[in-house]
Amino acid sequence: MNLTNFKDEIDPLIEAYIQNKINAIPDDIDFAFLKKQFDYIKVFIKDGKRIRPYVTYITYLSFGGKKNKEIINNLVFIEIFHYFCLIHDDIMDNSAKRHGIKTVNSKCGVSEAILLGDYLFSWAWEIILSTKLNAGSKKNVIKIFTEMIDDVFLGQTIDIQSTHKKTVSNNLIFKKTLHKTAGYTFTKPMLIGLVLANNYSKENIKFCESLGKNLGFAFQIQDDLLDITSDFNGNKISLKDVSEGNHTVFSNYVFEKGSAEQKNILRNNFGIENIDNIKVRKVFYDSGAINYGQELMKEYFNNAKAIASSYKYFTNLIDLISSRKS
Amino acid sequence: MNLTNFKDEIDPLIEAYIQNKINAIPDDIDFAFLKKQFDYIKVFIKDGKRIRPYVTYITYLSFGGKKNKEIINNLVFIEIFHYFCLIHDDIMDNSAKRHGIKTVNSKCGVSEAILLGDYLFSWAWEIILSTKLNAGSKKNVIKIFTEMIDDVFLGQTIDIQSTHKKTVSNNLIFKKTLHKTAGYTFTKPMLIGLVLANNYSKENIKFCESLGKNLGFAFQIQDDLLDITSDFNGNKISLKDVSEGNHTVFSNYVFEKGSAEQKNILRNNFGIENIDNIKVRKVFYDSGAINYGQELMKEYFNNAKAIASSYKYFTNLIDLISSRKS
């Protein structure tokens, strides 16, 4: 099952869960707006790639889990939790759009978005607690889930703090990626897959940590790279990281190794709304930041492929990710 | 054990839990600010009355639970959850102070407060899942906890929506109080007490629902009344509800039964920062709103006392609450 097929399987489960929540709202004119807001959550969730639950699923398959669609029911909480993170993240970043559609804060209001995020976080727990697993597995899934929460919260905390700063260390960017991308997006979902496959051994945990770390770093650098290099909606350049003041390996490279003029251009456009897209993008190319980041990314992707070489689901996923254009 | 003694018992447990979280933060200069933020959570939590876990505790005692301080460990999650609610509520209300000290959003920043609230919500789950209860009781506590979450979220949703409106129906204020105060503050904590006492019977559930509803309505009206009538910090008048645009039975009384001039004064001061305290307070008295609210509150307190007449812990608590001055 590839990522697209997987999305086709899990999306109806996600939608049905939210629809149940809508149906459970008291049928009362005063709660009509809550139904509308939950409806928007369905719209907001619709286009996601489902990478995290898919990573869990292929780990499950790779470590002896039976091809059994029932197991996908146990993965819905991962995506619901992820959307809780995105909703609150969009408020913190004051983002108006995500993947071309309105963020929840921009559609429903900031207070509403805080509360809607809280709802999803609560739902994630509710789902995890109602999964049909034996007591030991459930305990392990919950343990990994709390570690996953710690990872994303710690990464997010660093994120919030570093946007206040003019410069940050490479080490801080490393730590943010370690928690928020490697830990949260890859390693922890993989570990849940091991538990579901009844194969949560020390050796396998080590494999997941090593693969998750390399894949996480590659994925994050790629994400930051695409934010600089890709055009979307016709000719619009993104450069969201620069305008939001997010420090990346690319901005750090310019601030460290760029010429005085290049540093100045990036500095003057960092964390402001209307940046000079053409000029800033040129700085990233001319300073050598793009080249440096591309090499680093390739190295991590190659490491990941080497580690995962005997697991076809993973090598396929790495090929898919490494060739993505958005 | 009265409320003050109870606070002396539970507070060290709450503090120790947060201190453990502080100790678990990686010892790393980059995470120093997170330690500071968690430290502020300890300060922010310090002065609370602990009404909700106390309500659980006296229900437990009233329905056959043994006088056993160990059980208090199982109540920490209720207060941690409550502070998650307060932290997010303060952001939504854009409040700078609570009980005389800085709110988390005002001390640490809005993004930080969203995330710190999320941390506490996550901790509440973690604590509830690690409580030493038999599987059946734990399942029931979790079920009631999710209903408690639904209550406070639904109340909060109404709250957010109604502050956008010029007028709301009495029915809407009724529903908000039913969920946010009766359900969340009294009935659901009581129900958890029944489970802990192994006395979660239909008859007892009915008792809790009936007592919780009356006590909740009395408590909410009293809260709104104190916001109008009490002076704090010397001569400053609060009237926070008016300046934040929160609809209460008092504002609704004025908007419905006040003279044209009284309606105008309240309307012009509703939801603005610098209200004319003296004039607005006079409107509440002169229109008869205060008198009306006081009678309604007395009625609910009397109902509550009648329902709880044979349970000394409850009659003592009702006496304590009904005589509070802040």
Side-chain angles (χ1 to χ4, degrees):
Chain A
M1 195 185 289
N2 68 20
L3 185 55
T4 313
N5 305 142
F6 178 77
K7 183 174 163 63
D8 290 342
E9 293 292 335
I10 199 172
D11 275 12
L13 302 175
I14 297 172
E15 201 174 310
Y17 180 79
I18 302 176
Q19 190 56 50
N20 272 338
K21 288 292 173 186
I22 295 174
N23 298 343
I25 296 173
D27 200 11
D28 178 324
I29 184 75
D30 288 324
F31 299 138
F33 60 87
L34 191 59
K35 291 194 186 201
K36 271 193 191 169
Q37 291 177 356
F38 284 4
D39 268 330
Y40 192 68
I41 298 295
K42 281 203 296 185
V43 175
F44 187 66
I45 284 187
K46 212 172 159 76
D47 279 344
K49 295 192 195 74
R50 318 296 174 230
I51 283 192
R52 289 156 196 84
Y54 182 64
V55 164
T56 304
Y57 186 64
I58 64 174
T59 310
Y60 165 82
L61 291 180
S62 302
F63 287 86
K66 283 188 189 134
K67 273 195 193 171
N68 167 6
K69 286 183 183 173
E70 280 298 301
I71 204 80
I72 300 179
N73 283 297
N74 294 335
L75 311 180
V76 169
F77 83 91
I78 300 175
E79 202 63 7
I80 294 284
F81 175 74
H82 182 53
Y83 273 82
F84 145 70
C85 293
L86 295 185
I87 292 170
H88 278 191
D89 187 56
D90 284 335
I91 305 170
M92 296 175 196
D93 293 340
N94 198 16
S95 299
K97 291 208 165 186
R98 180 178 284 276
H99 301 312
I101 69 160
K102 279 191 174 181
T103 55
V104 178
N105 46 307
S106 129
K107 176 80 178 181
C108 307
V110 171
S111 294
E112 286 84 349
I114 294 174
L115 195 55
L116 288 166
D118 293 343
Y119 265 112
L120 268 79
F121 193 14
S122 174
W123 295 348
W125 279 109
E126 195 191 56
I127 302 171
I128 208 173
L129 289 168
S130 67
T131 47
K132 281 171 194 126
L133 292 171
N134 66 57
S137 294
K138 193 178 270 195
K139 209 175 160 183
N140 276 330
V141 170
I142 289 171
K143 182 183 78 88
I144 300 165
F145 181 51
T146 58
E147 289 167 3
M148 189 169 153
I149 295 170
D150 281 343
D151 266 330
V152 70
F153 283 11
L154 207 54
Q156 191 66 11
T157 315
I158 298 175
D159 220 354
I160 297 172
Q161 290 305 314
S162 51
T163 50
H164 292 316
K165 288 181 183 163
K166 266 183 88 163
T167 56
V168 303
S169 66
N170 287 321
N171 194 26
L172 193 78
I173 292 173
F174 177 87
K175 281 180 220 163
K176 186 173 83 171
T177 307
L178 188 69
H179 290 286
K180 210 173 159 178
T181 323
Y184 168 61
T185 303
F186 294 101
T187 305
K188 296 306 177 336
M190 281 180 206
L191 294 180
I192 294 171
L194 288 185
V195 173
L196 297 180
N198 284 316
N199 231 327
Y200 190 54
S201 70
K202 268 194 181 168
E203 194 193 355
N204 293 340
I205 292 172
K206 225 171 163 180
F207 167 85
C208 293
E209 282 171 345
S210 168
L211 177 57
K213 194 170 153 177
N214 281 285
L215 200 45
F217 276 86
F219 189 77
Q220 185 61 54
I221 297 170
Q222 186 188 37
D223 221 51
D224 301 339
L225 180 68
L226 287 168
D227 186 57
I228 299 171
T229 58
S230 66
D231 299 341
F232 68 98
N233 287 342
N235 292 316
K236 245 183 112 187
I237 297 168
S238 170
L239 288 169
K240 208 174 143 188
D241 285 330
V242 173
S243 75
E244 288 180 357
N246 292 331
H247 296 273
T248 66
V249 291
F250 297 94
S251 56
N252 253 33
Y253 188 93
V254 174
F255 285 138
E256 275 177 11
K257 311 230 164 127
S259 69
E261 201 199 338
Q262 287 165 342
K263 285 178 190 173
N264 254 335
I265 292 173
L266 187 57
R267 168 67 49 229
N268 294 334
N269 282 279
F270 209 70
I272 65 168
E273 205 170 327
N274 292 309
I275 62 173
D276 186 334
N277 282 307
I278 310 290
K279 244 184 177 172
V280 170
R281 193 194 248 190
K282 195 168 162 8
V283 161
F284 281 119
Y285 278 97
D286 293 352
S287 64
I290 298 291
N291 200 41
Y292 164 79
Q294 276 172 334
E295 289 306 311
L296 199 62
M297 179 185 76
K298 266 184 216 158
E299 203 183 307
Y300 282 120
F301 272 130
N302 286 338
N303 290 345
K305 281 191 90 160
I307 294 164
S309 60
S310 49
Y311 297 91
K312 73 173 167 56
Y313 281 114
F314 280 109
T315 49
N316 287 345
L317 180 66
I318 297 167
D319 284 340
L320 182 79
I321 292 178
S322 60
S323 63
R324 75 183 170 128
K325 296 285 172 238
S326 68
Chain B
M1 196 187 288
N2 66 23
L3 185 56
T4 313
N5 306 140
F6 177 78
K7 182 174 163 65
D8 290 342
E9 293 292 334
I10 200 172
D11 276 12
L13 302 175
I14 296 172
E15 201 174 310
Y17 181 80
I18 302 175
Q19 190 57 49
N20 273 337
K21 288 292 174 188
I22 295 174
N23 298 343
I25 296 173
D27 200 11
D28 179 322
I29 185 75
D30 288 325
F31 298 139
F33 61 86
L34 191 59
K35 292 195 184 200
K36 271 193 191 169
Q37 290 177 356
F38 283 5
D39 269 329
Y40 192 67
I41 298 294
K42 282 205 294 184
V43 174
F44 187 66
I45 284 186
K46 212 172 159 76
D47 278 346
K49 295 194 195 73
R50 318 296 174 230
I51 282 191
R52 289 157 196 85
Y54 183 64
V55 163
T56 304
Y57 186 63
I58 65 175
T59 310
Y60 165 81
L61 290 180
S62 302
F63 286 86
K66 285 192 186 129
K67 274 196 192 167
N68 167 5
K69 288 183 183 174
E70 281 298 302
I71 204 80
I72 300 179
N73 282 298
N74 294 335
L75 311 179
V76 169
F77 83 90
I78 300 175
E79 202 63 7
I80 294 284
F81 175 73
H82 183 52
Y83 273 81
F84 145 70
C85 294
L86 295 185
I87 291 170
H88 279 191
D89 187 56
D90 284 336
I91 305 170
M92 297 174 194
D93 293 340
N94 198 16
S95 299
K97 290 208 166 185
R98 181 178 284 275
H99 302 310
I101 70 161
K102 280 191 173 180
T103 56
V104 177
N105 47 306
S106 129
K107 177 79 179 183
C108 307
V110 171
S111 295
E112 286 84 348
I114 294 174
L115 194 55
L116 288 166
D118 293 342
Y119 265 112
L120 269 78
F121 193 14
S122 173
W123 295 349
W125 279 108
E126 194 191 56
I127 302 170
I128 209 173
L129 289 168
S130 66
T131 46
K132 281 171 195 126
L133 292 172
N134 66 58
S137 294
K138 193 178 270 194
K139 208 176 161 183
N140 276 330
V141 170
I142 289 171
K143 184 183 77 86
I144 299 165
F145 181 51
T146 58
E147 289 167 4
M148 189 169 153
I149 295 171
D150 281 341
D151 265 331
V152 70
F153 283 10
L154 208 53
Q156 190 68 10
T157 315
I158 299 175
D159 219 355
I160 297 173
Q161 291 305 314
S162 51
T163 50
H164 293 315
K165 289 182 183 162
K166 264 184 90 165
T167 56
V168 302
S169 67
N170 287 322
N171 195 25
L172 193 77
I173 292 173
F174 177 86
K175 281 180 219 162
K176 184 172 85 172
T177 307
L178 188 69
H179 291 286
K180 208 173 161 180
T181 323
Y184 168 61
T185 304
F186 294 102
T187 305
K188 296 307 176 339
M190 280 180 206
L191 293 180
I192 294 172
L194 288 184
V195 173
L196 297 180
N198 285 315
N199 230 326
Y200 191 54
S201 70
K202 269 194 182 166
E203 191 193 355
N204 293 340
I205 292 171
K206 224 171 164 181
F207 167 85
C208 293
E209 283 171 346
S210 169
L211 177 56
K213 193 170 154 179
N214 281 285
L215 200 45
F217 276 87
F219 189 77
Q220 186 60 55
I221 297 169
Q222 185 189 36
D223 222 52
D224 301 338
L225 180 68
L226 288 168
D227 186 58
I228 300 170
T229 59
S230 67
D231 299 340
F232 69 97
N233 286 344
N235 292 315
K236 247 184 111 186
I237 296 168
S238 170
L239 288 169
K240 208 173 142 188
D241 284 331
V242 174
S243 74
E244 288 180 357
N246 293 330
H247 296 273
T248 65
V249 290
F250 296 95
S251 57
N252 254 32
Y253 188 93
V254 174
F255 285 138
E256 276 178 10
K257 311 232 163 126
S259 68
E261 201 199 339
Q262 287 165 343
K263 285 179 190 174
N264 255 335
I265 292 172
L266 187 58
R267 169 67 49 231
N268 294 333
N269 283 278
F270 209 72
I272 64 168
E273 204 170 328
N274 293 308
I275 61 172
D276 187 334
N277 283 307
I278 309 289
K279 245 184 175 169
V280 171
R281 193 195 249 187
K282 197 168 160 6
V283 161
F284 281 118
Y285 277 98
D286 292 354
S287 64
I290 299 291
N291 200 40
Y292 165 78
Q294 276 172 334
E295 290 305 312
L296 199 62
M297 177 185 77
K298 267 184 216 159
E299 204 182 306
Y300 282 120
F301 271 131
N302 287 337
N303 290 346
K305 280 191 89 160
I307 294 164
S309 60
S310 49
Y311 297 90
K312 72 174 166 55
Y313 281 114
F314 280 109
T315 50
N316 287 345
L317 179 66
I318 297 168
D319 284 340
L320 181 79
I321 292 178
S322 60
S323 64
R324 74 184 171 127
K325 296 285 172 239
S326 69

